[in-house]
Amino acid sequence: MEKQFTIQNPFGLQPSPARHIAQAAKTFPSSVSLEINGKRYDAKSLVQVLSADAKYGDIVTVSANDGMAAIAIVDTIGDLLTSVQPGAYQP
């Protein structure tokens, strides 16, 4: 299962959303990856997610394999990538 999402947070993929992505990915038994600007990152690793240095407007491909559970984790991470939480991030 693979889907593309566009980062909607004006501050990009900062520590708080990155932490939520890694936590969500860890609940999935198989591998979950993010592909950003042609590079692949392990979504279960907070360090790797942060090192992607994804910015507002970047397109992220989220991939997971394992049937129906893959659809759920890809959609969950997609929701985190496309959500904007007013006041949650300070420049």
Side-chain angles (χ1 to χ4, degrees):
M1 174 67 191
E2 182 177 289
K3 279 189 183 179
Q4 289 187 330
F5 301 93
T6 302
I7 295 178
Q8 297 299 311
N9 187 309
F11 303 107
L13 195 50
Q14 294 295 312
S16 180
R19 185 182 77 245
H20 291 295
I21 287 169
Q23 286 174 340
K26 287 177 184 176
T27 67
F28 185 68
S30 299
S31 66
V32 182
S33 64
L34 307 177
E35 186 175 329
I36 304 165
N37 298 321
K39 294 184 181 178
R40 190 170 293 272
Y41 302 91
D42 180 358
K44 294 182 180 186
S45 168
L46 177 59
V47 172
Q48 284 196 28
V49 174
L50 285 170
S51 71
D53 195 30
K55 310 259 187 274
Y56 171 81
D58 282 352
I59 296 172
V60 180
T61 302
V62 182
S63 302
N65 295 319
D66 200 10
M68 294 303 290
I71 295 169
I73 195 63
V74 167
D75 287 341
T76 297
I77 291 174
D79 289 344
L80 292 167
L81 291 167
T82 58
S83 68
V84 178
Q85 300 171 359
Y89 309 105
Q90 300 299 319

